Amino acid sequence: MLEEANLSVGIVAKRCGVNVSALHFYEQKGLIRSWRNQGNQRRYKRDVLRRISVIKAAQKMGISLEEVKAVFAQLPNQRTPDKQDWATLSKAWQQQLNQRIAYLEKLRDSLTGCIGCGCLSMKNCPIYNPEDILADDGVGPLLLDKEAEE
Amino acid sequence: MLEEANLSVGIVAKRCGVNVSALHFYEQKGLIRSWRNQGNQRRYKRDVLRRISVIKAAQKMGISLEEVKAVFAQLPNQRTPDKQDWATLSKAWQQQLNQRIAYLEKLRDSLTGCIGCGCLSMKNCPIYNPEDILADDGVGPLLLDKEAEE
DNA sequence: ACTTTACCTCAACCTTACTTGGGGTTTTAT
DNA sequence: ATAAAACCCCAAGTAAGGTTGAGGTAAAGT
């Protein structure tokens, strides 16, 4: 408990492997926060590093910044989030990951049987519309008729 | 072998569950083709239905239109692609799907141990940089140092 | 014949996630 | 005391994957 060091934007960028412009951007979107020094330059608490790590991990999972922001909103506001807090987040995302994995597995398992067999353009093709778990992607149910065969 | 029916853009759109504008767009991007009738309206061969199905399936897998286009380019140009041709495509994509699944599994398996444990912002964190299979996403290796701990 | 529906083109707009550039200030290094 | 880095803000640009709208023609229904 000796710090609460103030990191400059350049340092944070270098440590996280992102551009300074990305940090400006995240701040503007409300994902991270900073205060300013005398000369109006941004200064960050160390915990911004973890936030950025989490942002990048989330993106690899296919989670949007909006979603990340929503989740960050549930972190404690008063104190710096601790391991417990982050672990809670991770649990929710694990579930999402599991769903996404299950979805892709279904897609994969349908793929050979499907693209090859001629059913791909038919009404109930499992690949074309495999109980859309990810239906919130906006890919609604698709209506094809039997004429769609070769 | 009685047809080679000519489908209008509206019919194709309805059958595939996409907008007419999307068909224009795909055509402009070189993913599908049409010819024109007397009145300059688009007409499609039936095989466009399968192409669009494949496009949509690919998108669910996270494959970009550019990639789909590249793959379509390997289809026979003279004759209408047959089941064999499509099956070949599907095999390549199955591999991609497997990789993507493996990647997400790795991410998931790292998640609890990682976000919670404090390593997330460290140099060799498996979640932060898990042998980036999907490194072509442009998420290069990330350089964090040990100061990134809490 | 007339009206509606479908279609055409082209340009502009939308969202996500940033980057780039211009013009100006602050810090840091020498 | 300078000069080079680093920083600031704001506006505009980028890429993907389309959508929306305007103004006009074609095809279909009655």
Side-chain angles (χ1 to χ4, degrees):
Chain A
M1 277 169 192
L2 352 96
E3 2 82 358
E4 199 70 359
N6 37 70
L7 306 167
S8 73
V9 73
I11 294 292
V12 172
K14 192 172 293 170
R15 287 204 184 145
C16 293
V18 303
N19 288 334
V20 169
S21 63
L23 296 178
H24 287 8
F25 181 75
Y26 294 150
E27 183 168 330
Q28 188 207 303
K29 290 289 175 183
L31 289 158
I32 59 177
R33 262 190 278 170
S34 66
W35 70 92
R36 304 306 178 97
N37 72 356
Q38 267 24 14
N40 194 35
Q41 300 196 348
R42 285 171 180 83
R43 291 299 179 257
Y44 299 92
K45 288 201 300 187
R46 221 163 257 302
D47 89 304
V48 78
L49 298 173
R50 185 181 302 264
R51 274 177 186 258
I52 294 161
S53 304
V54 170
I55 290 169
K56 305 230 84 185
Q59 288 184 319
K60 290 186 182 181
M61 296 176 215
I63 292 169
S64 71
L65 292 184
E66 260 312 305
E67 291 178 84
V68 173
K69 184 182 174 183
V71 168
F72 277 3
Q74 293 169 235
L75 287 171
N77 224 334
Q78 316 303 343
R79 59 189 174 75
T80 298
D82 62 16
K83 296 183 180 186
Q84 205 39 60
D85 297 317
W86 293 114
T88 304
L89 289 199
S90 95
K91 218 158 250 175
W93 281 343
Q94 261 200 327
Q95 293 244 351
Q96 281 204 36
L97 262 178
N98 278 326
Q99 288 188 8
R100 218 168 278 258
I101 287 166
Y103 176 77
L104 291 181
E105 279 170 346
K106 205 171 263 182
L107 212 51
R108 179 195 57 192
D109 295 344
S110 308
L111 193 54
T112 303
C114 230
I115 285 196
C117 79
C119 78
L120 186 55
S121 36
M122 289 175 64
K123 197 178 293 192
N124 296 314
C125 173
I127 236 202
Y128 208 75
N129 195 18
E131 285 109 72
D132 263 357
I133 302 167
L134 298 177
D136 47 302
D137 283 1
V139 184
L142 296 157
L143 308 156
L144 294 174
D145 63 24
K146 67 251 172 198
E147 289 192 71
E149 286 150 41
E150 273 182 284
Chain B
M1 280 167 190
L2 352 97
E3 4 82 356
E4 200 69 0
N6 37 69
L7 307 167
S8 73
V9 74
I11 294 293
V12 171
K14 192 171 294 170
R15 287 204 184 144
C16 292
V18 303
N19 287 335
V20 169
S21 66
L23 297 179
H24 287 7
F25 181 75
Y26 294 150
E27 183 169 330
Q28 188 208 300
K29 291 287 175 184
L31 289 159
I32 58 177
R33 265 192 276 170
S34 65
W35 70 93
R36 303 304 177 97
N37 72 356
Q38 265 24 15
N40 193 37
Q41 299 196 347
R42 286 171 179 83
R43 290 300 178 255
Y44 300 92
K45 289 202 297 185
R46 222 163 255 302
D47 90 303
V48 79
L49 298 173
R50 184 180 302 263
R51 274 178 186 259
I52 294 161
S53 303
V54 169
I55 291 168
K56 305 229 83 184
Q59 288 184 318
K60 290 186 182 182
M61 296 175 216
I63 292 169
S64 72
L65 292 184
E66 261 311 306
E67 292 180 83
V68 173
K69 184 181 172 181
V71 169
F72 277 3
Q74 294 169 235
L75 288 171
N77 225 334
Q78 316 304 343
R79 58 187 174 77
T80 298
D82 61 16
K83 296 180 180 188
Q84 205 39 61
D85 297 318
W86 293 114
T88 304
L89 289 199
S90 96
K91 218 158 249 175
W93 281 343
Q94 261 200 328
Q95 293 243 352
Q96 281 204 34
L97 262 178
N98 279 327
Q99 287 188 8
R100 219 169 278 258
I101 288 166
Y103 175 78
L104 290 181
E105 278 170 346
K106 205 171 261 182
L107 211 51
R108 177 196 58 192
D109 295 345
S110 309
L111 193 55
T112 302
C114 231
I115 286 194
C117 79
C119 78
L120 185 57
S121 36
M122 289 176 64
K123 198 178 292 196
N124 295 315
C125 173
I127 234 202
Y128 209 74
N129 195 18
E131 285 108 71
D132 264 357
I133 303 166
L134 298 177
D136 47 303
D137 282 1
V139 184
L142 296 157
L143 307 157
L144 294 173
D145 63 25
K146 67 253 173 197
E147 288 193 72
E149 286 150 44
E150 273 181 284

